[in-house]
Amino acid sequence: MKLFRRSPKLPPEMRPALEADERILAWATVGEAQDQALVATNRGLWLPGGRRLGWHEIHKAAWSGRELRITPAEVAHERNGYTVLVDAPVVGFLVLEPGELPDQVRTRVTRSVAYTTHHPLPPHGGVRVVGRRISGVNGLSWSVRYDAKTAVDAEPVIEVTDQLVEAAKEASAPPA
């Protein structure tokens, strides 16, 4: 049985502007001065400065024991029924007293992924098709991430990607 220690209350000056149905799951102060916070909610991760990344917008999160490094996803192209994502610049935060924050981030990012599969694309490269849950939204949000050296704008690659996304949508649809 896991015992939870009650964490101190988040100071009001560090509290982000939450939506009506948003609730705080974990938080930790960041940086040497410890005067800012990372706040995990059911909707996403609030960064210092008041920007929230939805769980579906985080491509990777790595915890070193002292630093939380977040790789956000950035939209490179909008296509019919899905987006093409690339990595945005990594942001890192020194977290000296992490509490439950790293576990919540890992759990929430992982839970947002409902479907993922990788497909090789000739002659070089490949594509990962991903369906992710967005907190408060029904259905899945579809995106693709191309491997390096993939001709992402070549018409044959776009056609195959369209087909792969449609097949993924059909495979993940609830039975009628």
Side-chain angles (χ1 to χ4, degrees):
M1 179 165 88
K2 187 173 182 178
L3 297 175
F4 291 97
R5 186 180 61 145
R6 190 169 188 82
S7 62
K9 200 169 187 172
L10 180 64
E13 66 274 11
M14 293 184 189
R15 188 177 178 85
L18 303 177
E19 293 179 8
D21 61 346
E22 191 171 15
R23 65 187 189 289
I24 294 174
L25 305 171
W27 65 276
T29 56
V30 297
E32 293 292 336
Q34 301 290 294
D35 60 348
Q36 295 182 314
L38 286 172
V39 180
T41 72
N42 56 313
R43 296 290 176 132
L45 181 65
W46 286 90
L47 307 178
R51 177 179 173 215
R52 183 183 69 194
L53 290 173
W55 297 119
H56 66 286
E57 297 174 302
I58 299 174
H59 174 61
K60 290 184 242 177
W63 172 242
S64 72
R66 284 182 50 93
E67 183 181 31
L68 182 63
R69 295 178 57 81
I70 303 292
T71 306
E74 188 172 275
V75 176
H77 302 286
E78 295 272 351
R79 295 201 179 139
N80 189 21
Y82 66 97
T83 56
V84 177
L85 300 178
V86 296
D87 288 349
V90 175
V91 289
F93 303 95
L94 176 64
V95 183
L96 299 178
E97 295 182 32
E100 295 291 318
L101 184 71
D103 288 337
Q104 281 293 332
V105 170
R106 183 186 68 242
T107 298
R108 295 289 170 156
V109 170
T110 301
R111 270 195 213 162
S112 75
V113 179
Y115 179 95
T116 182
T117 186
H118 184 269
H119 304 275
L121 294 174
H124 305 289
V127 65
R128 178 163 301 281
V129 177
V130 181
R132 294 187 82 169
R133 297 175 190 92
I134 301 175
S135 179
V137 176
N138 287 330
L140 299 178
S141 171
W142 291 93
S143 61
V144 298
R145 301 182 82 80
Y146 288 103
D147 296 349
K149 299 183 181 177
T150 303
V152 299
D153 293 326
E155 193 57 41
V157 170
I158 293 171
E159 288 176 21
V160 169
T161 303
D162 289 348
Q163 293 168 5
L164 292 170
V165 171
E166 283 308 311
K169 287 178 180 181
E170 288 175 22
S172 65

